[in-house]
Amino acid sequence: ASLEIASGAALTVAFDAAKLEEGATATAWSPHPNDAFAQPRVLFASNAVTTTSTTYADIGTGLQLANVILDGSQSVLLIVQIITAQDTADNTITVNFFRDSTAIGLTDMVQYHAAANKDDGATFAFFDAKPAAGNYTYKLQWKVATTTTGTARNRVFVVAVIPSA
């Protein structure tokens, strides 16, 4: 058996959940519990990264997950746990969830410290309800409210595909 795309042009192709079946009618596909695409994927970064950007920028390298292949009936649960600090007290760091280049969820972390450079930790979740079928990249971006310096450490990003109900 083989899967092939034949064309004169260069193509990028991804096959996911292909199955070979004997008979005139295909049965419904259901993931095997050990299927990597059916398991939550966890990304972790512990290095300190900083920003002074008041527009969204990547929150360090490695905190994006490519090749999340969806059939249009699934949803995606996104969870981020993050520790941040700023060099100005009582300011806001905003973390945003992105599907490809589209912002899909927004969180604000307000630093309520009387002094600067104190750590604040938070966990946020976003449910991306049944996006259209496609191959997506999920990522985190962040910004600070003013031109203060924001620092992020110990970031955990979980992407879990939820089967259709």
Side-chain angles (χ1 to χ4, degrees):
S2 67
L3 299 171
E4 181 179 329
I5 302 289
S7 174
L11 297 173
T12 301
V13 178
F15 294 100
D16 183 32
K19 86 177 180 176
L20 178 63
E21 225 177 329
E22 184 178 0
T25 305
T27 59
W29 179 85
S30 64
H32 186 276
N34 295 332
D35 185 348
F37 285 99
Q39 300 297 316
R41 291 180 267 177
V42 180
L43 304 171
F44 178 75
S46 60
N47 61 313
V49 294
T50 61
T51 188
T52 56
S53 179
T54 57
T55 59
Y56 286 108
D58 288 341
I59 191 164
T61 58
L63 284 178
Q64 67 177 22
L65 187 63
N67 296 318
V68 179
I69 301 170
L70 303 173
D71 65 10
S73 69
Q74 303 147 313
S75 296
V76 180
L77 178 62
L78 306 167
I79 303 169
V80 61
Q81 185 176 43
I82 187 169
I83 295 174
T84 63
Q86 294 183 69
D87 64 1
T88 302
D90 298 336
N91 207 344
T92 303
I93 290 177
T94 303
V95 178
N96 210 335
F97 297 99
F98 282 77
R99 180 186 344 106
D100 292 337
S101 59
T102 302
I104 58 173
L106 181 65
T107 62
D108 285 334
M109 297 180 65
V110 179
Q111 305 293 132
Y112 289 115
H113 295 295
N117 298 314
K118 300 289 184 180
D119 285 345
D120 246 349
T123 301
F124 299 101
F126 182 79
F127 191 72
D128 190 13
K130 296 186 181 182
N135 184 344
Y136 297 109
T137 297
Y138 284 92
K139 64 182 177 178
L140 299 173
Q141 292 192 332
W142 70 326
K143 67 179 181 176
V144 290
T146 64
T147 55
T148 64
T149 299
T151 301
R153 288 181 286 288
N154 297 338
R155 297 158 324 274
V156 179
F157 185 36
V158 179
V159 178
V161 176
I162 308 298
S164 60

